[in-house]
Amino acid sequence: MTNQTTSPTTITSLREFTTYIPVRLSPSERALLTVLESTLHVSEYTDNVDVSSNRYGYTYGGGSSYGSARLGSLKVKKILDGILEACHVATGLTICGGYDHPSTLMLSLSLDDDSGNKAGVGRLNGGWKKKKKKKNKERAEEGFNRDDGGGGRDLKSRKAAKQASKAEKKMMKKLKKQKKKNKKQSHSADSDNDNDLDGSLAPKMREMDRDGNDYEDESEDEAEDEGRNAETTTSTTAKTSSSSSPTNIYSNITSIASLTPKQNAKFFQNIFEIGRRNKVLNPSKMRGTYGKLMHLLQDAQSPSIAKSLGFTLYKDLVMVKPFLEMRGTSSILDDERLIGATMFIPTRDEYGNIIDRSIVNERVRRKKDLVDELLDEYSGSGPGSGSTITREELLLCIDSISDAIAVVESNVGPVNRMIYLLETNFDQHNKEKGFSLELRGSGNSFSSPSNRYGGGYGFGAFGSSFLSRDSSGPTLSHSHSTQYTFVWQSLHLWREVQMNMHRLWVCADDDLLSTTTSYQLLNTGQGLNRVQSCPKVGRVMRGLLVKTQKAAGSSWVGLSVIHLGDRDVPNALVFIDKYTQIPRFLKPIADFIDGIPEICADERIDAYVKDQFGSQRNLKMAVLADYFKHGFDGSGDDGGSCIDGRLTSSWNWTSRIAKKNYYHAFMLSGFQGFDGDFK
């Protein structure tokens, strides 16, 4: 077995690791998280904005006619209504829960610095500052990005988006002129359809902007378009400068009920950031609400929506390293004791054997002692520390690092276990009778051993879901040796991905909430999806792939195509969700293999196993051979030998386990499924 330590083992690696570790939620933040989850649970944002808009034939970013532009304006109205509705519901639930008192809000905002800026990484607050050149602004509106690796929209789609944008601007200018004319005529009752549309938007905008902005007096020349983002940012900054600090915002009120959504922007920024941070910390949570959250924030990041809204909902994620630096305690990251204070303490060794409890207890005690030493020395209450961090905040940071390492270890563990089972039960060059890994694909695949890029990977190897083919059976043709290498390389790539999941989560958050790449609403063959390029996630994944290929020591089997921002993996949200599934379906397999001797301790089960499979080893080999063959056979709607197709094949295998001859043995071990109840 390749027993690679996944925890940071040096101060340098730990310091880099903390750049991507979010700070654990405080008790007051957990209370607000409950408010956010309740808000998102009752929200129908995605249905109202995406599904209903698509029902009338409109896809965001497409079309160039006046009708499409009008539908675009209708979608803008739905977006604004949905965002404000979520803000009002969150405010109401906060008040009902008794969390609206300034003292509670001050606790939840304690991770801000004195100037009100979030201690995070990435973009500036707001995320939609003025572009220096109009060309860059137009490219951002089109969703064009030089680093999208070809995963963004094609030339035809960008042209269509540009034409639609121009048509919408032209229409809105026309509506403004008509609006002024109608005002002079005392808003006659026989207004045309365009006036009805504008009239439906105007009251909402006036309500949202009652404390200053005047949309009627905006300039209609092109210079207004040039400085739109700068005007909005300047206006918002000017109006909130006197209240940039949480103390100033909430010092003279008894409840946030007295504030308008714009005045309460800091509260909304904080509560939405709490939700994003909690998802990175606990990927198994918010499975029914996280998509709504990111879709809402994705739309709110649009410069045009942000201008109409009058405030931004975005804040950088609060990360451990920037937070410690802001509090003057970054020197703790250079202390060797921090490695021991945050180390993962397993209860089983790398071979699955239970570690003696006395050894585990001793390690836990030593870890706690190191934590206490660090708290005494580096917290603001410590003698001569010179830092402004409290003992509670420092403990929160240490626990955050410890949690992140534990998550990585628990996710990488099943992958390491499967690598060990592959290496110890199969010989790469000699196949065992009855347990060969050799694959013979269907008629949609072909074999050419001399071609490492095309041999045996068929049309489905590119993962194109729109190609017509039978996806139920194998599409790859591999010899036993080639399939062994294919599985080995795939598992090692998955291990690299799991070791870097926190970094990928942060990049996915940044790509989804990007202000330079927009999305297209398309039916990808897997339902209606927001297709958006993922330059940052793609850059990290390509680096991990290159690292795995170099470490393989042999020719790479299969394709090196990474699907991102296309019909197979529409956006970073879909990507990150797919790769968080790996430990969920590998762990039950490894647990079953480890538990075979235990369940066979029952004489009746042992008799059943011997009658059906011949021996306990035969049962183990039957399960492993079947998974290593058909969990990597290119099956699935977008399967193949590409990077994404390998994972799709394993998904496809899990969906068919009920038809396997060893399924009853799985059930006897307590197996209930590959995905637990995560709420």
Side-chain angles (χ1 to χ4, degrees), residues 168 253 271 559 665:
E168 187 171 349
I253 64 170
I271 196 171
L559 299 177

Side-chain angles (χ1 to χ4, degrees), residues 608-621:
Y608 167 78
V609 169
K610 289 180 179 178
D611 180 63
Q612 294 294 319
F613 303 97
S615 67
Q616 295 182 27
R617 181 182 182 277
N618 286 351
L619 171 60
K620 177 180 72 171
M621 293 299 293

Side-chain angles (χ1 to χ4, degrees), residues 279 283 287 463 465 494 497-498 501 504-505 508 526 529 541 562-564 566-585 635-640 642-652:
K279 184 62 177 179
R287 298 184 67 185
S465 57
W494 290 358
V497 171
Q498 295 305 311
M501 279 303 291
L504 287 167
W505 267 108
Q526 305 174 60
N529 284 281
M541 275 299 295
I562 301 174
H563 288 286
L564 283 171
D566 56 18
R567 290 179 178 270
D568 293 305
V569 185
N571 52 57
L573 179 60
V574 175
F575 166 85
I576 206 71
D577 181 66
K578 292 190 74 168
Y579 279 90
T580 54
Q581 309 297 326
I582 292 175
R584 292 177 186 160
F585 63 73
S635 60
D637 287 339
D638 60 343
C642 62
I643 302 305
D644 178 64
R646 303 164 193 242
L647 181 52
T648 303
S649 298
S650 284
W651 273 14
N652 199 44

Side-chain angles (χ1 to χ4, degrees), residues 471-472 585 630 635-636 648-660 663 671 674:
S471 62
S472 60
F585 63 73
H630 298 293
S635 60
T648 303
S649 298
S650 284
W651 273 14
N652 199 44
W653 179 86
T654 62
S655 68
R656 300 197 301 257
I657 191 172
K659 299 179 181 179
K660 307 293 184 179
Y663 177 65
F671 171 79
F674 288 102

Side-chain angles (χ1 to χ4, degrees), residues 269-280:
Q269 292 166 7
N270 186 66
I271 196 171
F272 287 127
E273 187 273 337
I274 288 173
R276 291 157 51 213
R277 180 154 41 105
N278 179 69
K279 184 62 177 179
V280 181

Side-chain angles (χ1 to χ4, degrees), residues 173 218-228:
K173 289 180 180 180
E218 288 183 335
S219 173
E220 295 175 7
D221 58 13
E222 199 160 282
E224 181 215 38
D225 293 335
E226 172 77 26
R228 178 174 297 176

